[in-house]
Amino acid sequence: YNSNTGRGRFGLSLNADLVVSIHNNSGSATASGVEVYGTVNPAHSAMVSKLGKMICAKVSAVGLHNGGYRTRTSGSDSTRDYYTLIDEAVRAGIPAMIVEHCYLSNPTDAAFISNPVNRKKVATADATAIAEYFGLVKRGVSNGGSLTLNRTYSALFVSSTQGTYSTSNP
């Protein structure tokens, strides 16, 4: 477990380009859809706004209402963000956002996200938007090749663990 402050700042130790915190929302039974919360900090607001809108568009294309990109300022300081995770990441120099995929209090949204196929579609939409924003392309491993992944566990703050990866998916 990591606090919101720890999550926001952990990206610094990873040289992260972005901190994304994934959630499902709750509210009234009529509230619905994907919403992305980003920063009011002018150093990162344009980047996070553009990416947040891309995520909303991609997620809504797979079946959830597009609730749009939003910001929320701190009640005590309008130059800072309300959400600690975003505020702490930005203070560490890393753009950050919170993606609220749907409202679990809305029966239609809850039914949609409870389906594993739909969860994969939503996750793919998130990843696709982020990859497109950063100009990333898919890579693969040639037949008979290998790939080494480095794992990082934020809850334990282990810096890196070597591992192996295998798959039956060509």
Side-chain angles (χ1 to χ4, degrees):
Y1 175 78
N2 232 335
S3 68
N4 283 328
T5 300
R7 291 176 197 166
R9 292 181 177 233
F10 186 61
L12 189 60
S13 68
L14 299 174
N15 288 328
D17 294 312
L18 175 70
V19 172
V20 180
S21 188
I22 304 293
H23 300 257
N24 291 313
N25 217 338
S26 186
S28 74
T30 58
S32 68
V34 59
E35 299 170 347
V36 175
Y37 288 87
T39 185
V40 297
N41 184 296
H44 303 295
S45 60
M47 176 265 192
V48 174
S49 172
K50 182 176 179 179
L51 177 54
K53 290 172 185 174
M54 288 172 68
I55 290 172
C56 285
K58 297 262 185 221
V59 171
S60 67
V62 299
L64 288 167
H65 168 73
N66 186 339
Y69 175 80
R70 303 163 186 248
T71 60
R72 187 171 176 189
T73 59
S74 168
S76 60
D77 183 349
S78 64
T79 65
R80 294 198 42 199
D81 293 291
Y82 173 82
Y83 297 105
T84 303
L85 179 134
I86 295 172
D87 190 59
E88 291 296 333
V90 167
R91 290 177 66 179
I94 305 166
M97 63 176 52
I98 297 172
V99 179
E100 297 279 3
H101 282 124
C102 67
Y103 279 82
L104 297 177
S105 52
N106 178 309
T108 303
D109 277 13
F112 178 88
I113 207 69
S114 67
N115 181 326
V117 171
N118 290 337
R119 284 195 304 270
K120 184 173 183 177
K121 287 178 184 178
V122 167
T124 300
D126 290 339
T128 300
I130 293 167
E132 285 178 4
Y133 180 85
F134 285 104
L136 304 176
V137 294
K138 289 183 180 182
R139 295 187 290 177
V141 177
S142 61
N143 192 15
S146 65
L147 176 70
T148 300
L149 301 177
N150 293 319
R151 286 192 165 172
T152 304
Y153 300 92
S154 63
L156 301 174
F157 291 98
V158 174
S159 62
S160 181
T161 303
Q162 292 291 321
T164 59
Y165 176 75
S166 64
T167 180
S168 60
N169 181 346

